[in-house]
Amino acid sequence: MPASVAGAGGRARGSAIGPYTVLRGLDDEASGIPVPERRFIGRSADGDRTVLIGAPLPGADPGRFLAEAETSRYLLGPWSSPATEVAAPGDAPWHARPYVPALPLPAALTVHGGPLPEGTVRALGAALVETLIVGHGQGLAHAGVSPAAVLLAADGPRLTCFGAVRAAAGDGAARSGLPGLESGSLPPEEATGGRPQPAGDVYALGATLAYAATGHTVPEREELPAGLRTVVTACLSRDPAARPRPAELLDLLEAGGPAPASPAPASAPPAPASGPMSSDTVLLRSAEPAPAPPAPASGPMSPDTVLLRSAEPAGRAAALLGPGRLPGRIIAALARQSAGLLAATLPVPPAPQD
């Protein structure tokens, strides 16, 4: 995966963010797609934990950034990406989550050599819709769906950048043109300062799927694959009330359109010859989506648990995310990323001066 050594925002390899040492940046600045935060892959000093770190863009409001990171801790669903660590009050702002070998969607298109196959876009869309359904059931608008927010992993996508629109500017303030916000996936009502709502997530999803299918977020209708025109153009309605509900989107993404020929699935990198596998290798080798949480031992299930437990609707994306849906070049890039990080060593600190 292309990425500068310093990464976005100029963090050099070996610099520290919280308790972690930066190994590399995640995003390729040459893609031209805005990223709502600076993202790095880092490792703990003892080498035991590899994480994906997020830090605010220069000039961003650290309080709003940390507030959204804190809220993201409660996100559910197999394709969500909740923060598991957040900077302590008074420290420089950052958040982290366990590392999974993954490519940002813009980097995946670069590796693949152009737009993704329609079947891949449908599977990606179904997984993202399931994530939104669960989040909306929790009363949370994601407010950060964009091409850069989507990471492609071997077992399915991860939706990141929760709350990026809210973090960029408070309600009532114009957000159009702000750093980190991709204009094509910013819902018009939010661009003018409106409070992010679930219908805005649907608009942003449509723009993100358009990007995956064509390479840009505001294509002409004729540029879209015929099987995706209805779903994408419906999402991109300027009237929030006219946009489809996420559950309707799931039906549309599952239905219609010829399935592309499935190439032979690429193998994940082998485990080390001896000794236990690192968490990174285990994550890349897994071909199955994360299991849903078990039902509570007693008492009524919450709406979120109902969504997660069965194929109605959560879990339906898994059927579309089978072998062959992720192009081989992307699988190979994930393997290279994982192998590179497994071989990476933390810089040796300078010896103390006498």
Side-chain angles (χ1 to χ4, degrees):
M1 178 185 65
S4 63
V5 172
R11 286 274 186 174
R13 182 179 184 275
S15 61
I17 300 179
Y20 298 105
T21 298
V22 171
L23 297 178
R24 61 173 294 172
L26 180 70
D27 297 284
D28 179 17
E29 294 176 333
S31 73
I33 298 296
V35 183
E37 61 188 22
R38 297 177 296 158
R39 300 190 292 196
F40 311 93
I41 300 171
R43 185 166 290 160
S44 59
D46 60 7
D48 187 52
R49 300 189 310 284
T50 302
V51 297
L52 176 61
I53 305 167
L57 298 175
D61 184 296
R64 284 201 297 267
F65 174 85
L66 286 175
E68 297 299 333
E70 187 65 39
T71 301
S72 82
R73 286 176 177 264
Y74 303 98
L75 292 172
L76 300 173
W79 320 114
S80 65
S81 186
T84 55
E85 298 177 77
V86 178
D91 290 351
W94 60 273
H95 60 73
R97 54 187 51 81
Y99 164 71
V100 177
L103 296 180
L105 183 57
L109 264 65
T110 299
V111 166
H112 181 59
L116 301 180
E118 181 180 330
T120 302
V121 177
R122 285 181 175 277
L124 172 65
L128 297 178
V129 167
E130 286 185 354
T131 303
L132 294 179
I133 288 173
V134 176
H136 295 171
Q138 295 178 267
L140 300 172
H142 189 279
V145 181
S146 71
V150 176
L151 306 183
L152 297 188
D155 62 346
R158 301 295 188 276
L159 183 56
T160 68
C161 299
F162 176 83
V165 172
R166 291 184 292 261
D171 297 344
R175 301 183 178 100
S176 181
L178 291 181
L181 299 184
E182 200 282 317
S183 60
S185 51
L186 182 62
E189 66 274 14
E190 295 176 17
T192 55
R195 182 179 183 181
Q197 301 286 351
D201 288 344
V202 172
Y203 182 97
L205 174 67
T208 299
L209 296 183
Y211 177 84
T214 68
H216 46 101
T217 53
V218 285
E220 298 294 333
R221 178 181 171 86
E222 293 72 23
E223 295 178 77
L224 292 163
L228 292 172
R229 288 174 189 167
T230 298
V231 63
V232 170
T233 55
C235 290
L236 292 176
S237 171
R238 296 189 66 82
D239 178 5
R243 297 169 197 157
R245 296 170 62 87
E248 297 168 337
L249 283 178
L250 202 52
D251 292 335
L252 290 170
L253 288 164
E254 284 185 315
S262 297
S267 299
S274 62
M277 290 186 295
S278 75
S279 58
D280 305 338
T281 306
V282 173
L283 287 166
L284 184 55
R285 291 184 69 202
S286 170
E288 295 298 324
S298 61
M301 291 185 294
S302 71
D304 309 326
T305 306
V306 172
L307 285 168
L308 284 166
R309 282 192 66 204
S310 69
E312 201 49 56
R316 289 163 62 179
L320 300 177
L321 288 167
R325 285 302 187 188
L326 205 57
R329 289 181 180 178
I330 296 177
I331 291 289
L334 293 173
R336 288 193 300 270
Q337 183 192 103
S338 181
L341 288 169
L342 285 170
T345 56
L346 295 178
V348 178
Q353 298 294 324
D354 292 334

